[in-house]
Amino acid sequence: MDWNAIHAQATAHMTAAGLQYEDGNADIDGGQHDIDTLAWRRYGILPRMFHNVADIDTSVTVGGRTIATPVFGAPTAYHRLASKNGEITSQNGMHRAGTFIVYPTNASEPVEHFAAEAQGDWWQQVYLFDNRKVSEGFVERSVASGAKALMLTLDCPGYRRDFGFRNGIDGTWEGASGNFPKMHMTDWTLNLATSITPKDIQWLKEISGLPVYVKGVMRPEDAVTAMNAGAAGVMVSNHGRRQVDGVVPVAYALPRIRRALGPDVEIFADTGIRTGGDVFRALALGANAVGLGRPIQWAAAAGGEDGIANMIERITDELAHTMNSAGVSRIADIDESFLVAGQGPSAF
Ligand SMILES: Cc1cc2nc3c(=O)[nH]c(=O)nc-3n(C[C@H](O)[C@H](O)[C@H](O)COP(=O)(O)O)c2cc1C
C-alpha cells in the first residue's frame, strides 16, 4: 500500500480541521500515530517450506458470518469528514470488498438512513452515556435498523482530550452528529459514561438480543472479566492511540490476551495496521480478524466507494502474497511460529 500517496490525495479532499481530527492522537509526549505500526513491524516473518500454497484462502468467520478478508472497518466517528454520504459510502465500499464496517454511535448519517441505503450486514458500535436511558433509546433504534452485533467501547470514559473538539469541526456540517442532532461534540464527550461495569455487557445483551463484543481492552484480566460477563469476544485496541498518552502498542497487549482467553474466543485487534504484512503479524499474535480506522476514511476521501474497495482488495492481496511466500494457506494456521520478535524491518 502506498499510504503516502493515498494520504496526499485524502488531504486534497478533506478540510484542514477534518484531517487534523482524523489524524490526531493523544501522544502529546512527542509520539506519533505510527508507533503502533512500527510495533507490529518489529516482528520479522519466518517463512516455512514444504507446505502446499497453491490455494490461498483469506476468508474468516466473524460472529458466525464468513467474510472474504480478515479485515473490517473499526468504528470511527463522522465519516462525512471523508465523503459526502459518510458511513453509507464506507459500508458500501467495504461490502464490495466482501466485508463490513462497525457503524459508530457518533455517525454522520442517522442509523435509519444508513441502514436503508447501505448494503450488506453491519455491526453497531455503542458508546454508553451516563444517562443509560439515552443509550437504551439509541440501541433500540439500531436494533430496529438491523444491526447484527453490538461492539461496546470501553476505553473512552467521558473523555477530556481536546485535539478533537477544539480543532474546528465542532458545530460544522462534517462534525454534526446524525443520531443526536442536538448534541455538539463537547456535549458528547462530557456525557459519555465515566463508569462502565461488567453488568453493562449483560444489560446490552438483554435489551438488544444481540451478541456484544467489547472494544478497547488492553489487559488480560479485563478481557477475562468481559468474557465472564457474557461478552461474545474482545477487540484489543488502544483507540488508534487517541486515548492514553504513551499507551503501549496493541502488538504488546494482543498475545497476552490471546494466552489468557485461550484459542476459542473471538479476538479482534486494531491500531496502526496498514498493510497485508501488518495484518499477518496481528493474526499471528492472536487476532481472528483486524480493524482499520483511519485508512477507511483516507481511502474514502481519496476515492470514495471505489477507493475503499480497492484499498481493502489491495491489502488482502498483500496478505495473500505474504501467506503464499511464508508457507501458509489458511488464516487459522497463522500462528506465533511465523514471527520472530525484534527481527522485523522497524527493529533495525
Ligand atoms: C477519527 C477517529 C474517530 C474515532 N471514533 C471512534 C468512535 O466513535 N468509537 C470507537 O469505538 N472508536 C473510535 N475510534 C477508534 C477506532 O475504532 C480504532 O480503534 C482506531 O482508529 C484504530 O487505529 P487506526 O486508525 O490506526 O487504524 C476513532 C478513531 C479515529 C481515527
Side-chain angles (χ1 to χ4, degrees):
M1 288 301 304
D2 184 354
W3 279 113
N4 288 336
I6 295 174
H7 193 264
Q9 282 175 41
T11 303
H13 290 100
M14 291 173 80
T15 64
L19 197 68
Q20 189 201 347
Y21 175 71
E22 192 62 42
D23 291 3
N25 66 74
D27 279 334
I28 50 179
D29 246 2
Q32 301 166 354
H33 63 268
D34 64 3
I35 283 175
D36 268 78
T37 307
L38 296 174
W40 297 114
R41 294 180 192 166
R42 285 186 62 79
Y43 287 93
I45 295 173
L46 189 63
R48 158 175 101 163
M49 303 301 134
F50 303 119
H51 277 267
N52 184 342
V53 287
D55 176 23
I56 301 290
D57 183 359
T58 60
S59 68
V60 287
T61 302
V62 159
R65 165 189 176 206
T66 301
I67 50 176
T69 175
V71 178
F72 61 88
T76 57
Y78 309 122
H79 286 228
R80 224 179 250 163
L81 294 168
S83 66
K84 174 163 69 60
N85 293 322
E87 293 78 14
I88 298 166
T89 298
S90 303
Q91 168 66 12
N92 287 345
M94 294 298 273
H95 181 66
R96 263 176 46 193
T99 180
F100 68 101
I101 65 165
V102 183
Y103 165 89
T105 298
N106 200 0
S108 304
E109 292 289 340
V111 66
E112 295 80 5
H113 186 231
F114 166 76
E117 299 292 322
Q119 289 152 19
D121 290 347
W122 49 276
W123 291 6
Q124 174 69 60
Q125 178 262 340
V126 177
Y127 271 143
L128 288 182
F129 297 100
D130 278 327
N131 182 346
R132 295 294 196 274
K133 280 279 160 220
V134 177
S135 299
E136 184 169 355
F138 178 64
V139 168
E140 278 167 9
R141 288 173 61 191
S142 176
V143 172
S145 302
K148 293 289 184 255
L150 303 184
M151 184 177 273
L152 169 64
T153 300
L154 300 175
D155 63 1
C156 215
Y159 55 56
R160 301 291 187 267
R161 67 183 185 203
D162 61 359
F163 66 85
F165 53 90
R166 276 215 324 231
N167 77 358
I169 70 167
D170 192 11
T172 66
W173 176 78
E174 60 177 354
S177 170
N179 290 314
F180 303 93
K182 292 201 179 106
M183 272 197 203
H184 272 251
M185 221 166 171
T186 17
D187 304 326
W188 254 93
T189 53
L190 297 176
N191 282 311
L192 287 175
T194 42
S195 171
I196 298 179
T197 74
K199 287 200 182 109
D200 286 308
I201 297 171
Q202 194 56 42
W203 174 71
L204 280 173
K205 281 172 71 174
E206 278 161 21
I207 62 169
S208 69
L210 295 175
V212 176
Y213 294 84
V214 293
K215 173 170 182 282
V217 177
M218 291 292 280
R219 290 185 180 219
E221 64 269 29
D222 290 339
V224 170
T225 300
M227 294 310 298
N228 288 342
V234 304
M235 179 113 162
V236 188
S237 171
N238 62 29
H239 211 109
R241 304 195 69 80
R242 290 164 78 85
Q243 290 297 110
V244 177
D245 176 18
V247 70
V248 299
V250 173
Y252 168 86
L254 173 60
R256 287 159 179 82
I257 289 178
R258 172 54 78 194
R259 279 194 279 280
L261 295 185
D264 299 329
V265 173
E266 272 188 288
I267 299 180
F268 311 127
D270 72 17
T271 303
I273 294 169
R274 297 291 178 266
T275 65
D278 300 340
V279 176
F280 185 92
R281 292 174 174 96
L283 297 173
L285 291 173
N288 295 89
V290 303
L292 300 183
R294 297 174 184 91
I296 290 172
Q297 301 265 48
W298 293 330
E305 201 178 302
D306 289 347
I308 294 175
N310 292 342
M311 182 270 288
I312 295 294
E313 280 159 12
R314 180 71 193 272
I315 287 184
T316 306
D317 266 2
E318 291 173 350
L319 172 65
H321 173 75
T322 307
M323 291 169 68
N324 170 279
S325 52
V328 57
S329 55
R330 300 279 174 277
I331 298 286
D333 296 333
I334 303 174
D335 60 24
E336 276 193 86
S337 78
F338 285 95
L339 299 186
V340 183
Q343 297 298 322
S346 75
F348 296 95

